[in-house]
Amino acid sequence: MNEMTRIETTLKDWETDQEVRWCPGCGDYAILKAVQRTLPQLGCDPSNTVFISGIGCSSRFPYYMETYGFHTIHGRAPAVATGVKLANPDLDIWLVTGDGDGLSIGGNHMMHVLRRNVNMQIMLFNNEIYGLTKGQASPTSREGTKSPSTPLGSYDHPARPCAFALGAGARFVARGFDVSKNLPDVLKAAHAHQGAAFIEIFQNCIVYNKDVFDDFAAPKGAGDHQLWLEHGQPMLFGDPKTGLNKGIALDAEALALKVVDVVDGDWQSAGVIVHDVTNRAVAHMLVEMPFGPFPMALGVLYDDPRPTFEDAVIEERSRSAAGKDVNLARLLAKGQTWTVDGTAGHPV
């Protein structure tokens, strides 16, 4: 958990005077407002908060948050965020990236910040396209996606951000989407986590990949296509008006998940799984569920904290400095030294 003194703020305290400049209808607007509404509820302090981004549409985020921030270079936001956290571990770090910035040129940096477990919230906006550079296929673009870089349709198998995060050793993995009313709850859970909290946020690119997530994110029929996970609760989904009449069960013979019908609310008899956020094996299966035969798994998929990277670094520094005279000037003068006299006009 990010330890801090709780203060009272409002949404207005987190808004800057900068004109928000995304395409009209872009999903980034909804994510920005969700974050600005959530931070006051968490009791966060703008003067102790840092937003760090790379390159891409999502990476304009720091301009619109009344906090400290860095708009860094392509793919390197995790490296800069790690440095900031080590320099001042008390800061509340939010890293903002996109599917291209975070999983292409920045994929190696993303892997290391996750495996090291640096305490920060990582929001990866996934619109399955390169929006800023005019709509080329990205690492998460679906097979068959037509774009300027794949005019006949992409034949690349897309990366799954949450599967990548789990494979890199992330201890917190979650999913949401831009206009979801549940997104603030996902952000709160990420903030409460001790370590690197990875959140994939499906984001609608209104210009180059419009409505690509409507198959599960559109309000009509959403209940049949969204599985919102809650720790300790059965994995049920369906139309809320008629009852959650479907669930996710484990096929013990195939060691795979399956969709089962739930009759009269008796989910136990149907074998529906109760969600355990500490179960890494099930988290992997939820991430890999193919959409269509299965609903889209949303919410907190995995949450199992472990000691953070900066805690280990601080402990090592304290241990190495114990009983020693910490004097930088004396360290620099140690051993053989010499002095150079003269100037450029009158060299030695």
Side-chain angles (χ1 to χ4, degrees):
M1 179 182 294
N2 292 282
E3 299 293 343
M4 62 185 69
T5 302
R6 185 180 180 89
I7 69 168
E8 296 296 326
T9 61
T10 67
L11 181 149
K12 294 294 183 183
D13 294 314
W14 297 89
E15 295 179 333
T16 69
D17 60 359
Q18 300 295 301
E19 178 187 0
V20 182
R21 300 183 66 181
W22 286 310
C23 300
C26 175
D28 288 350
Y29 286 98
I31 301 172
L32 176 65
K33 285 302 177 188
V35 172
Q36 290 173 334
R37 289 191 180 102
T38 301
L39 293 176
Q41 297 174 29
L42 293 171
C44 296
D45 183 353
S47 67
N48 196 59
T49 304
V50 187
F51 278 81
I52 299 173
S53 66
I55 295 296
C57 297
S58 63
S59 294
R60 297 187 61 80
F61 217 88
Y63 292 102
Y64 309 137
M65 297 299 302
E66 190 59 48
T67 66
Y68 292 102
F70 289 92
H71 188 178
T72 72
I73 56 178
H74 208 183
R76 274 62 177 183
V80 174
T82 299
V84 172
K85 191 66 177 179
L86 290 179
N88 188 347
D90 293 331
L91 291 174
D92 188 11
I93 308 293
W94 293 76
L95 191 154
V96 184
T97 186
D99 47 307
D101 180 63
L103 295 180
S104 184
I105 191 171
N108 56 334
H109 294 283
M110 183 65 70
M111 176 183 72
H112 295 307
V113 77
L114 292 172
R115 73 172 179 83
R116 286 172 174 151
N117 199 35
V118 186
N119 194 12
M120 66 180 70
Q121 297 73 237
I122 302 168
M123 298 188 295
L124 185 143
F125 298 7
N126 182 10
N127 56 20
E128 297 188 0
I129 210 75
Y130 278 107
L132 184 67
T133 53
K134 306 301 183 283
Q136 301 91 334
S138 83
T140 59
S141 294
R142 304 177 193 187
E143 293 177 20
T145 297
K146 292 185 178 181
S147 75
S149 60
T150 56
L152 301 180
S154 174
Y155 45 78
D156 280 354
H157 183 66
R160 290 187 174 96
C162 288
F164 171 89
L166 283 168
R171 309 298 297 186
F172 180 101
V173 177
R175 272 193 190 134
F177 60 92
D178 46 17
V179 296
S180 169
K181 64 181 182 180
N182 296 325
L183 182 57
D185 292 331
V186 175
L187 298 174
K188 291 174 187 176
H191 192 263
H193 176 81
Q194 179 70 22
F198 181 89
I199 316 153
E200 177 186 11
I201 304 176
F202 296 111
Q203 176 256 323
N204 185 32
C205 176
I206 196 73
V207 175
Y208 297 110
N209 216 13
K210 186 176 185 290
D211 300 333
V212 71
F213 303 118
D214 266 6
D215 46 8
F216 69 85
K220 186 176 181 180
D224 289 323
H225 305 300
Q226 298 176 11
L227 171 65
W228 280 99
L229 300 162
E230 185 178 348
H231 181 63
Q233 297 299 315
M235 297 184 188
L236 296 170
F237 65 101
D239 188 345
K241 295 180 181 179
T242 58
L244 304 178
N245 57 0
K246 295 178 184 178
I248 300 296
L250 178 65
D251 185 335
E253 186 174 335
L255 286 179
L257 299 180
K258 61 181 180 181
V259 174
V260 295
D261 293 323
V262 176
V263 180
D264 297 329
D266 188 2
W267 58 268
Q268 292 97 333
S269 296
V272 174
I273 299 172
V274 173
H275 185 43
D276 178 2
V277 293
T278 66
N279 191 321
R280 193 177 186 85
V282 173
H284 273 284
M285 288 191 279
L286 289 168
V287 165
E288 296 289 348
M289 287 194 314
F291 180 76
F294 290 87
M296 179 61 69
L298 299 163
V300 179
L301 287 80
Y302 181 64
D303 184 359
D304 190 13
R306 69 177 180 188
T308 66
F309 181 67
E310 65 273 14
D311 285 345
V313 171
I314 292 169
E315 182 183 352
E316 181 188 57
R317 287 173 180 169
S318 299
R319 194 169 56 247
S320 64
K324 297 179 181 178
D325 179 18
V326 183
N327 188 312
L328 180 59
R330 186 171 299 167
L331 176 63
L332 293 175
K334 186 178 180 180
Q336 184 179 9
T337 62
W338 63 93
T339 301
V340 178
D341 295 321
T343 65
H346 299 88
V348 176

